Amino acid sequence: GIQVEQSPPDLILQEGANSTLRCNFSDSVNNLQWFHQNPWGQLINLFYIPSGTKQNGRLSATTVATERYSLLYISSSQTTDSGVYFCAVRNTGGFKTIFGAGTRLFVKA
Amino acid sequence: DAGVTQSPTHLIKTRGQQVTLRCSPKSGHDTVSWYQQALGQGPQFIFQYYEEEERQRGNFPDRFSGHQFPNYSSELNVNALLLGDSALYLCASSSQQGSQPQHFGDGTRLSIL
């Protein structure tokens, strides 16, 4: 089945710093989402981005489907950005969604 | 517009018991997927329901079963509970119309003693 790898696994930032999170996947996908899981376990939709570039405030994402990767950019990080960021993909023609292992982000004040 | 709702929020069971978790999808959604998230890991796909049938299943034993009702709500049943079934169980809904994102509920935290 499709493999999803996220990097880095852990990231510590000073408040105000920028960061880039990466998601590599091993097969063609027709669905890719980025989520933020807060300390209470809630999965918050950040982007639905099977291809192209999107921006929402301090966050933006780019997926290059032909090269099988997606990037999540966080600018001017805040302590409330702390948590785990997941990339989740679905194979073209399938119904099963596969999550990466996540990037654990801690933003220091 | 209510999002995905799950019940109960927390549950404590003992080994060997059976449990039923419930999920109501977001308004306008007709597809429900269930995930298990163990501590420190990403969510793992259990199965997906569409038109009241299981459409695809992940690597979970038959102890895990489900149901989807005509109003698109869904139940996840787990029999013969094991300590390793302790996890956060997440429900996600989506629409079959076009390529659509999934929306997740807040989950049910199941603890097995």
Side-chain angles (χ1 to χ4, degrees):
Chain A
I2 190 169
Q3 305 294 316
V4 182
E5 294 184 357
Q6 290 188 242
S7 60
D10 298 281
L11 188 57
I12 300 174
L13 297 176
Q14 193 67 44
E15 195 170 30
N18 303 327
S19 63
T20 301
L21 282 56
R22 187 176 180 102
C23 172
N24 292 332
F25 42 95
S26 61
D27 204 348
S28 62
V29 300
N30 63 2
N31 188 311
L32 188 149
Q33 287 183 259
W34 282 97
F35 295 93
H36 174 215
Q37 190 165 42
N38 62 25
W40 297 271
Q42 295 172 316
L43 271 174
I44 310 300
N45 279 307
L46 297 178
F47 294 102
Y48 170 69
I49 187 166
S51 64
T53 297
K54 291 186 178 181
Q55 180 159 5
N56 184 4
R58 297 181 297 104
L59 302 181
S60 63
T62 295
T63 297
V64 184
T66 53
E67 297 187 21
R68 299 181 182 169
Y69 73 89
S70 183
L71 302 173
L72 177 68
Y73 305 96
I74 304 174
S75 64
S76 304
S77 58
Q78 301 176 357
T79 57
T80 52
D81 293 333
S82 296
V84 184
Y85 289 80
F86 288 106
C87 167
V89 305
R90 187 177 69 202
N91 252 144
T92 300
F95 304 110
K96 181 178 178 179
T97 296
I98 303 299
F99 278 74
T103 292
R104 285 153 185 78
L105 173 64
F106 179 67
V107 181
K108 299 186 296 183
Chain B
D1 179 19
V4 180
T5 58
Q6 292 187 243
S7 63
T9 55
H10 295 84
L11 201 51
I12 300 174
K13 292 286 189 178
T14 57
R15 281 178 297 175
Q17 285 189 311
Q18 178 265 344
V19 68
T20 298
L21 310 182
R22 296 175 176 83
C23 173
S24 292
K26 181 179 169 66
S27 177
H29 286 182
D30 54 10
T31 302
V32 173
S33 301
W34 286 93
Y35 297 81
Q36 180 195 67
Q37 186 177 21
L39 197 62
Q41 298 181 19
Q44 301 291 314
F45 177 84
I46 303 175
F47 41 52
Q48 184 181 87
Y49 276 84
Y50 174 66
E51 292 189 332
E52 302 181 45
E53 291 193 358
E54 182 184 295
R55 184 156 70 170
Q56 188 161 5
R57 188 178 186 92
N59 295 325
F60 282 82
D62 292 345
R63 298 188 297 110
F64 290 77
S65 63
H67 189 77
Q68 186 179 33
F69 299 94
N71 67 353
Y72 308 119
S73 67
S74 177
E75 290 182 348
L76 165 65
N77 301 293
V78 187
N79 295 323
L81 287 166
L82 304 174
L83 293 178
D85 295 331
S86 294
L88 178 67
Y89 288 85
L90 294 161
C91 169
S93 72
S94 58
S95 170
Q96 281 303 110
Q97 296 302 315
S99 187
Q100 299 289 334
Q102 292 187 89
H103 294 255
F104 280 79
D106 289 345
T108 294
R109 200 166 294 276
L110 176 63
S111 299
I112 311 301
L113 304 180

